[in-house]
Amino acid sequence: MNAHPPAALPESRYLGWRPERCDRVALVLQGGGALGAYQAGVYQALHEADIEPDWVSGVSIGAINSALIAGNRREHRIARLQSFWDRITDRKVWWYTPEGDVFRQARNVTSSLLTTMLGQPGFFEPRRVGAWMAPAGATDATSFYDTGPLRETLLDLVDFDLINSRAVHFSVGAVNALSGNFVYFDNMIETITPEHVMASGALPPAFPTVKIGTEHYWDGGIVSNTPLQHLLAQDDTLNSLIFQVDLFSSRGPMPRTMQDVMGRHKDIMYSSRTRLMTDLFQTLQGWKKQTHSALSQIPEDRLSAEDRALRDHLALIPEHTILQLIYQQKTYESHAKDHEFSRTSMKEHWHSGYEDTKQTLTRKDWLTIPPDGAGIVTHDVHRDFERR
């Protein structure tokens, strides 16, 4: 039997719809800069379907979107996400863009160049002194941009007291700049501040490290851009329905130009390692089942108290369903798509996430928890179409 009562939940947590035998709905958000508007569209579709996560976990822009979700009441989340994305894309690129991929591509290039030169409102701004000109040890010497505006935006749009009330489980990934170790900042373990979210998105050399306590942190995407591992590593017995939202695809066409090479390199580098993680998880579950079987065959009087506790714990191995949504790059987007913050592209990304999620939710057979002993099952609507 896998039926196991979940831990007591705060009264303020709204559970919404969930399938039978589902103890937890999780939203896992990858990093990807400007592409993160896709994740906002995903959440909007889930929200309209009354599917609310009780755990949100993110890296980089996924950490920011996670904070906007966990740090607001359900009825305010869409508005706060919209406010954030409107704020950071509040710059007119061209007054008019003719139809056709070539014009759109030129407009996107202009947009990314403006971001490089001017930063983005409410997000980051260029250093007054260029990093190459600043002396070693100076504030300006180790990053091209100042992320102070992001801190003000987070304080304006995110209720950190609500995050720390644990109404929603919240976690974000970052990398210790000195040790190189990947860490998760988790509201079940520590008090979350704007700095924890900013640390998760401090991608060098563009952004500076963020100091928390005595340590300095960079963007978690340097080591792992998808925070699925943290959820799978939980030593609990909760069956989970997991919506994993990726912004870079591991699959793609053979490059034909240097621009293609740069884009493909970035996609592969930051794409998720879902298959590796799920294979490792399945292997670990196999060992747990064998250990449980072996302990169950030993006479009760020959088992120690620790043996019995382990046997009983291993009898409750959870099952997980992962619904993987992956942003599909447009033909006119370049390797700079993650720092192309135009309002038009933001709306396109948001709409893509919304439509992909609505399509995924039509697959009612996917919205189930696997049977006992199945372990973990992964579905992806785009690859499903490819197979068809």
Side-chain angles (χ1 to χ4, degrees):
M1 287 288 293
N2 251 350
H4 191 280
L9 302 176
E11 291 183 4
S12 57
R13 179 177 295 181
Y14 177 80
L15 295 179
W17 177 89
R18 57 189 57 210
E20 291 185 23
R21 301 174 50 249
C22 178
D23 304 314
R24 172 170 58 205
V25 174
L27 184 59
V28 176
L29 305 179
Q30 193 182 78
L35 301 177
Y38 179 84
Q39 297 169 341
V42 170
Y43 174 74
Q44 180 183 356
L46 293 176
H47 177 86
E48 292 177 1
D50 198 30
I51 301 175
E52 293 291 342
D54 42 36
W55 187 347
V56 287
S57 185
V59 166
S60 198
I61 196 66
I64 295 173
N65 282 329
S66 293
L68 290 163
I69 294 169
N72 283 286
R73 301 291 181 186
R74 179 177 185 271
E75 61 271 22
H76 299 145
R77 290 172 181 171
I78 300 297
R80 293 293 187 274
L81 285 165
Q82 190 68 66
S83 293
F84 172 79
W85 285 99
D86 283 346
R87 183 177 302 192
I88 69 169
T89 60
D90 189 22
R91 177 189 292 131
K92 196 72 174 175
V93 180
W94 287 0
W95 288 105
Y96 172 71
T97 303
E99 292 186 354
D101 288 356
V102 64
F103 300 108
R104 181 59 192 276
Q105 188 173 35
R107 205 290 306 274
N108 284 7
V109 169
T110 303
S111 175
S112 61
L113 286 174
L114 287 173
T115 296
T116 301
M117 293 186 296
L118 305 176
Q120 285 301 128
F123 199 167
F124 56 93
E125 58 190 13
R127 296 286 188 185
R128 293 184 179 180
V129 178
W132 298 112
M133 303 297 293
T139 302
D140 294 341
T142 57
S143 68
F144 298 124
Y145 303 96
D146 176 13
T147 52
L150 174 60
R151 189 177 193 277
E152 297 304 313
T153 297
L154 289 172
L155 288 173
D156 187 30
L157 298 179
V158 176
D159 182 347
F160 284 90
D161 287 338
L162 181 59
I163 289 179
N164 291 309
S165 74
R166 302 179 181 178
V168 174
H169 192 163
F170 172 86
S171 58
V172 294
V175 176
N176 188 302
L178 292 180
S179 69
N181 292 333
F182 192 93
V183 299
Y184 282 101
F185 302 123
D186 192 312
N187 68 344
M188 297 297 172
I189 300 172
E190 58 200 303
T191 300
I192 301 298
T193 66
E195 283 67 31
H196 292 93
V197 180
M198 293 173 66
S200 183
L203 184 66
F207 300 153
T209 60
V210 176
K211 186 177 181 181
I212 299 175
T214 60
E215 302 293 338
H216 292 78
Y217 296 93
W218 269 326
D219 192 307
I222 297 174
V223 173
S224 176
N225 199 35
T226 306
L228 177 64
Q229 182 179 356
H230 185 48
L231 191 152
L232 296 182
Q234 300 299 302
D235 189 24
D236 59 32
T237 59
L238 303 183
N239 295 338
S240 301
L241 178 63
I242 304 166
F243 292 88
Q244 178 183 321
V245 190
D246 295 346
L247 302 178
F248 296 96
S249 177
S250 59
R251 297 185 179 188
M254 188 68 183
R256 297 177 60 84
T257 67
M258 186 53 66
Q259 292 282 348
D260 293 343
V261 169
M262 295 170 70
R264 193 76 197 102
H265 169 250
K266 184 179 288 186
D267 285 344
I268 294 172
M269 182 168 58
Y270 289 122
S271 64
S272 71
R273 302 293 181 266
T274 301
R275 178 59 61 84
L276 173 62
M277 292 181 193
T278 55
D279 286 350
L280 289 174
F281 179 82
Q282 292 283 40
T283 299
L284 179 60
Q285 277 205 333
W287 282 109
K288 287 182 176 181
K289 290 175 184 176
Q290 291 183 37
T291 302
H292 175 263
S293 177
L295 289 173
S296 299
Q297 296 177 46
I298 300 174
E300 192 75 16
D301 59 354
R302 296 185 61 183
L303 292 173
S304 66
E306 291 79 7
D307 292 335
R308 295 189 191 96
L310 178 59
R311 179 198 61 193
D312 294 343
H313 177 71
L314 294 178
L316 298 169
I317 298 178
E319 272 73 51
H320 300 314
T321 294
I322 300 177
L323 300 178
Q324 188 177 17
L325 295 113
I326 307 174
Y327 174 70
Q328 304 298 300
Q329 180 174 331
K330 306 295 189 296
T331 57
Y332 44 76
E333 289 183 306
S334 71
H335 69 94
K337 60 184 180 292
D338 57 334
H339 61 272
E340 194 278 286
F341 283 91
S342 68
R343 180 67 59 85
T344 300
S345 293
M346 181 273 287
K347 290 181 177 180
E348 282 188 352
H349 297 150
W350 187 305
H351 181 72
S352 293
Y354 180 77
E355 291 299 326
D356 285 352
T357 306
K358 287 181 64 177
Q359 183 65 41
T360 297
L361 295 178
T362 63
R363 294 299 304 268
K364 303 302 182 184
D365 54 319
W366 290 358
L367 299 174
T368 60
I369 297 299
D372 288 350
I376 188 166
V377 175
T378 302
H379 303 290
D380 171 20
V381 67
H382 296 293
R383 292 178 185 172
D384 182 58
F385 286 151
E386 289 177 6
R387 286 191 293 268
R388 293 184 183 185

